[in-house]
Amino acid sequence: MSPPPLKARARRRRCCAGGGGCGLGRARAAGCGRRRRLLRMRAAVALLTVLASLLLCLYLLWLTADGPLSSRDWRGEARKAVNFTPGVPRKLGFPLEPAALATNSTNLGIKKPLHLPPECKSLQDTLLSSFMKKKRYSEDYYLEIITNVQNCRWQRQPEEYKKFRSKLVSCCDATHNLVISQNNTPLGSNISYEAERASFPIEKGIFRMLPVSQPFVGRPFNQCAVVGNGGILRDSICGAEIDKSDFVFRCNLPPITGNISRDVGNKTNLVTVNPSIIGRKYGELNGNKSAFVNSIATYGEAFLILPAFSFRRNTDISLDVYHTLHGFKAKQKAIFFHPKYLKSLAQFWRTKGVHAFRLSSGLMITSAAIELCENVKLYGFWPFSKTTNDTPINHHYYDNELPKPGFHAMPIEYREILQLHGKGVLKLQFSKCEAA
């Protein structure tokens, strides 16, 4: 009499577990083999799950021990960007050395060390890791970092410069695409707007307005100055140093005459023009055009570069600027940003965490300068309301008009520029220049 089905199955499981067929026949023995393999696979999966859980627990414990940045004092984090214990070895890659203390130096009275301190060597790695921990930082946090950076002497790093420049060339290629020209925009083609789904036909009248090729004769320039409009420039005595540069970039038609030229210089080779400035200051050139022409005469033979094809509302004003300069036979020439270049540049900086409605004119021009120049120095780049000594300053050296909220990502842009300074790609002027 055969055993009941439940008992039979239990007997078969015992036989399979024992490793033999127990007289179950070939088919049943094969089934036992499959069951044993399945059991082994389940055991392996369970073991891997346990190991993964242990690793996750260890990682969470490490995070808890380190603590998020928001739970720690920002001053302590900023100080750790240059203050390490000697026993912790790190890879060194920051091109800074102890700064020599000049008689009129603004280095907060810190004496020159007798040897190269480890904090200057490892500052770049720490800046990078510190900035990656959190997306937003207080103004005081930045100023603490900048104070530490000022205490180390900057050195240009040709290899870092070439590496970053090649990335810009690959994505954007300012030497061929910064400006709309007849070479990169054929007659009869349609040019797509940078920020709108629209296009503009390049007919004969527009085609004649375009330079044959990129208009910057003599590139790559040796020494370039990119002059921002930050309030830090006032009383900086940087004018003479700026004017010695081979090529000077400026932003948005800033004042450069009178006593202020002592701080900002007056040499200008290229100046950006936001069409909104033409509308606000000159009534969109619907009235007295001569007032506009007389005003920009201070820029000599500079190029006025406009984003004519970023938005449709910019096009007519930008073309009017061109026709006004041409009609008055002005020394200045109007040229237009290529929307493809600006779109590619915005995408490039997005990959580095700069998310904003628009890049600032300063970052656009800085990016172009790195491609067009061998040595780049930045003046007046300062998005903060005070100096490192807690002295209040205006947003601009000529007024205190703040940018539209959410329009630019100024502190984030400055973070990227500060890291380029640390890598020796470009140099930031933080305080007063040496008297000539």
Side-chain angles (χ1 to χ4, degrees):
M1 185 174 183
S2 61
L6 291 175
K7 292 183 178 179
R9 284 196 295 271
R11 177 172 173 269
R12 283 196 297 272
R13 280 196 297 269
R14 286 195 300 271
C15 290
C16 289
C22 294
L24 298 176
R26 290 184 180 180
R28 291 181 178 177
C32 287
R34 286 194 296 272
R35 290 189 188 92
R36 285 195 297 273
R37 287 194 296 273
L38 181 60
L39 288 172
R40 284 196 295 269
M41 288 176 64
R42 288 177 177 173
V45 169
L47 180 61
L48 289 174
T49 303
V50 171
L51 289 174
S53 299
L54 287 172
L55 289 173
L56 179 60
C57 289
L58 290 173
Y59 177 69
L60 291 175
L61 286 172
W62 175 79
L63 284 180
T64 305
D66 186 53
L69 183 61
S70 58
S71 67
R72 298 194 295 268
D73 176 36
W74 66 263
R75 291 184 183 276
E77 287 297 316
R79 291 191 185 98
K80 283 196 293 184
V82 292
N83 294 331
F84 296 112
T85 54
V88 181
R90 290 177 179 266
K91 290 184 178 180
L92 309 180
F94 197 64
L96 299 177
E97 294 181 1
L101 195 63
T103 55
N104 63 343
S105 175
T106 57
N107 286 335
L108 309 180
I110 298 176
K111 295 182 179 180
K112 178 181 177 181
L114 296 177
H115 58 85
L116 187 64
E119 57 264 26
C120 288
K121 290 182 177 179
S122 51
L123 185 54
Q124 169 60 27
D125 290 340
T126 318
L127 274 177
L128 180 61
S129 62
S130 176
F131 279 133
M132 288 178 65
K133 287 180 182 177
K134 194 176 179 182
K135 292 183 178 179
R136 294 184 181 274
Y137 296 90
S138 68
E139 184 174 273
D140 288 331
Y141 182 87
Y142 275 99
L143 296 177
E144 186 82 9
I145 293 288
I146 292 167
T147 299
N148 291 325
V149 170
Q150 281 182 286
N151 295 330
C152 294
R153 189 177 65 194
W154 182 87
Q155 284 186 340
R156 183 177 183 271
Q157 295 294 305
E159 291 304 316
E160 290 292 337
Y161 164 78
K162 290 178 183 177
K163 187 188 304 182
F164 190 78
R165 187 188 202 179
S166 67
K167 291 179 181 178
L168 282 172
V169 171
S170 297
C171 90
C172 311
D173 193 7
T175 58
H176 297 97
N177 295 326
L178 175 63
V179 174
I180 302 175
S181 69
Q182 294 180 4
N183 283 352
N184 61 32
T185 309
L187 176 65
S189 62
N190 289 313
I191 192 163
S192 298
Y193 280 85
E194 175 203 349
E196 295 182 7
R197 292 184 177 180
S199 60
F200 190 92
I202 303 299
E203 299 174 348
K204 286 185 179 180
I206 300 296
F207 190 73
R208 291 194 198 100
M209 295 166 59
L210 306 178
V212 175
S213 59
Q214 300 301 293
F216 311 116
V217 178
R219 69 177 190 274
F221 307 103
N222 181 33
Q223 183 67 46
C224 292
V226 181
V227 187
N229 298 329
I232 197 75
L233 264 178
R234 186 166 284 277
D235 299 324
S236 66
I237 326 175
C238 288
E241 184 175 305
I242 290 170
D243 287 346
K244 288 180 181 178
S245 304
D246 299 307
F247 201 93
V248 179
F249 301 83
R250 297 186 189 270
C251 301
N252 293 329
L253 301 179
I256 57 173
T257 57
N259 293 334
I260 198 63
S261 64
R262 177 173 175 264
D263 298 325
V264 304
N266 49 42
K267 180 177 180 178
T268 307
N269 298 98
L270 182 144
V271 57
T272 67
V273 183
N274 190 325
S276 65
I277 296 175
I278 304 299
R280 186 171 65 251
K281 289 187 176 181
Y282 306 103
E284 297 184 359
L285 300 179
N286 292 326
N288 186 4
K289 291 180 170 59
S290 61
F292 168 70
V293 175
N294 292 335
S295 175
I296 64 168
T298 58
Y299 299 113
E301 298 181 357
F303 291 104
L304 274 60
I305 186 166
L306 303 98
F309 301 99
S310 291
F311 299 92
R312 282 176 288 184
R313 66 175 179 267
N314 290 353
T315 305
D316 288 341
I317 298 177
S318 300
L319 296 180
D320 284 346
V321 169
Y322 176 92
H323 289 303
T324 299
L325 296 178
H326 184 74
F328 279 81
K329 297 181 179 180
K331 294 181 179 180
Q332 303 78 30
K333 292 180 173 61
I335 55 178
F336 309 128
F337 276 115
H338 201 302
K340 180 181 177 182
Y341 173 81
L342 294 181
K343 193 170 186 177
S344 299
L345 188 66
Q347 179 59 34
F348 172 82
W349 285 110
R350 271 196 295 271
T351 63
K352 298 185 176 300
V354 181
H355 300 280
F357 181 70
R358 295 285 292 166
L359 295 179
S360 70
S361 299
L363 187 58
M364 292 176 185
I365 291 301
T366 297
S367 304
I370 293 173
E371 287 197 59
L372 298 174
C373 309
E374 295 295 339
N375 299 276
V376 179
K377 188 169 182 180
L378 273 53
Y379 304 82
F381 278 67
W382 194 263
F384 311 116
S385 63
K386 57 185 178 181
T387 67
T388 53
N389 294 324
D390 288 334
T391 303
I393 56 173
N394 289 339
H395 185 66
H396 297 135
Y397 67 81
Y398 48 85
D399 66 30
N400 199 28
E401 183 179 345
L402 300 176
K404 295 178 182 179
F407 202 74
H408 299 309
M410 292 295 194
I412 304 301
E413 289 187 3
Y414 195 81
R415 175 196 71 188
E416 296 302 315
I417 290 173
L418 188 61
Q419 291 188 49
L420 291 177
H421 170 93
K423 292 179 179 178
V425 175
L426 53 77
K427 185 177 183 181
L428 267 166
Q429 181 69 29
F430 295 109
S431 55
K432 290 186 177 183
C433 295
E434 298 289 338

